[in-house]
Amino acid sequence: MKLRSLLLAGLVAAALPVRGEVLTLPAAASIVGGAPFYSDVRAFNTSYTASLDVTATYRCFIPLPCSVGMPQIQFTLGPRESRAFDDIVVSEFQAPNTAGGVEFEFGGLATDLVVTSRLYSTEPNPTVGMFIPAMQESQAHATSVLTSIRHDPAGTPGGFRTNVGVFNPAGRSAAVTFSIFENGVPLGAPVSTSVTSHSGAQVSGIFEAADAGDVSSDNAVIVVSASEPVFSYAAVIDNATSDPIFVVGAPDQAATRTPSPTAATATPTLTATATPTGSPTQTPTRTPTGPTPTSTATPTATFTPTVSTATATPTRTQTFTRTPTPSQTPTPTPPPGVRFVGVGQNGDNFVDGDSGTNVSTIQVGTTIQWNWISGLHSTTSGTCTPNCFPDTRWTSGELTPLATFSRTFNEQGTFPYYCTEHGVMMTGTVVVNP
């Protein structure tokens, strides 16, 4: 009976799928439009003796909803073999005019596979592009920091702009918040979004999204806080040349660790100082003077909370002002919904993901996220009768494919908007019901 149970357990274990190592390419695209983007990918087997079986799954998240599903390819790399996948999103996954991430699953060690890519645009001439590496699971963090962040207000000659993004490799949704700082001082307001399992999100023009578009900075950092470990990244773009650099999120210090070592260091220092003072002087001479050591211990107790309080107060004031921000993102019940609108979808159009038209009917508290599919467009609130005039409620500025822009509608009403590049030829409406 025991032998049978062991055999059955072995058969069940053998039937269960075993998850191998995974490398994640957080951003890949094949967009054809006013500013086309393509991803050329290379995969390399580091082993000198063994072949490597790889399954690559495309996780599309632009546009949302994405109709291509989760296409996969399987391939085998011989020892020391490198495989080229030019324009991988179309050539291998047949998903034109989309963007997303790619997960490469394989057996063996995490170091057996190396995956790199070049994301590039053919406009302006000559091409411009940036190197994007695939990341190991250990590079996903709940708190990470993006450095080398630059930004200048629109219209600044030779200025910079920054886009950010994340990919969520977890099996559940993640609430993500981007917070901009310069020398510890917050710039603008935190920008929050929700990212579903094995999917991603991008925010183009993070300074504008954070209401800090009028700020100039050549040394900002962005703290990315998430309810699940995510891969975070930034693209910092030189407006004068269109050259981008790719910044990978580095692990940030955990706020809860700061008070512990400080208090532990301070307490033994004070105790050790008080002990030798009382022992040699008062132990042999004044044995009956019991209150004296008691009073000696009293200041020790007094000093300990003083040090702890002084240490903890500034530390928590600085750190926890940031920490509660992501924690409060998923707090509302139910959380506010998100509606996706394609920009430049099926030509020069705004297309609502639910209605299939340029009208989005939502409820108060819903967020509209515009996703750029093709061309150079903006979403700018205002009316066209027939000339278009902005009303200053919002504007994304003119953006290109892979960009996103979000606004939460907290008041009832009808809000028309248009594209500053196409005017009356490209308009949309947001209808907000109670």
Side-chain angles (χ1 to χ4, degrees), residues 25 48 51-52 56 79 161 206 208 212 231 243 255 273 281-282 290 411 421 432:
L25 184 63
Y48 284 86
S51 294
L52 194 63
R161 69 185 187 276
I206 182 62
E208 285 75 14
F231 301 107
D243 289 334
T273 305
T281 306
Q282 297 180 8
E411 56 181 314
E421 180 74 11
V432 183

Side-chain angles (χ1 to χ4, degrees), residues 125-317:
N125 239 350
T127 62
V128 293
M130 61 185 174
F131 172 82
I132 302 179
M135 303 182 199
Q136 295 182 6
E137 289 181 297
S138 60
Q139 292 176 274
H141 308 291
T143 304
S144 57
V145 62
L146 303 168
T147 60
S148 298
I149 302 302
R150 294 172 175 253
H151 178 266
D152 293 287
T156 302
F160 288 82
R161 69 185 187 276
T162 296
N163 306 327
V164 296
V166 295
F167 187 92
N168 174 21
R172 50 194 170 272
S173 295
V176 181
T177 298
F178 302 93
S179 302
I180 310 172
F181 297 90
E182 185 175 54
N183 296 323
V185 178
L187 299 180
V191 177
S192 298
T193 187
S194 180
V195 186
T196 58
S197 168
H198 296 285
S199 186
Q202 294 184 359
V203 180
S204 294
I206 182 62
F207 277 74
E208 285 75 14
D211 292 329
D214 58 345
V215 173
S216 286
S217 177
D218 63 358
N219 188 31
V221 299
I222 297 176
V223 175
V224 183
S225 304
S227 59
E228 299 290 336
V230 297
F231 301 107
S232 63
Y233 58 88
V236 183
I237 304 158
D238 185 338
N239 292 327
T241 63
S242 295
D243 289 334
I245 63 169
F246 188 77
V247 181
V248 176
D252 201 2
Q253 294 291 333
T256 53
R257 294 178 186 172
T258 306
S260 301
T262 308
T265 305
T267 303
T269 303
L270 291 173
T271 305
T273 305
T275 302
T277 302
S279 297
T281 306
Q282 297 180 8
T283 302
T285 309
R286 300 180 182 177
T287 306
T289 314
T292 304
T294 305
S295 60
T296 305
T298 305
T300 304
T302 305
F303 292 151
T304 303
T306 304
V307 173
S308 301
T309 305
T311 304
T313 301
T315 304
R316 292 180 180 173
T317 302

Side-chain angles (χ1 to χ4, degrees), residues 350 376-381 384 388-390 394-399 417-424 426-427:
F350 295 109
L376 179 67
H377 306 291
S378 81
T379 167
T380 301
S381 62
C384 298
C388 298
F389 298 96
W394 78 84
T395 183
S396 64
E398 292 185 349
L399 302 174
Y417 63 95
Y418 64 96
C419 168
T420 54
E421 180 74 11
H422 296 90
V424 71
M426 186 173 176
T427 62

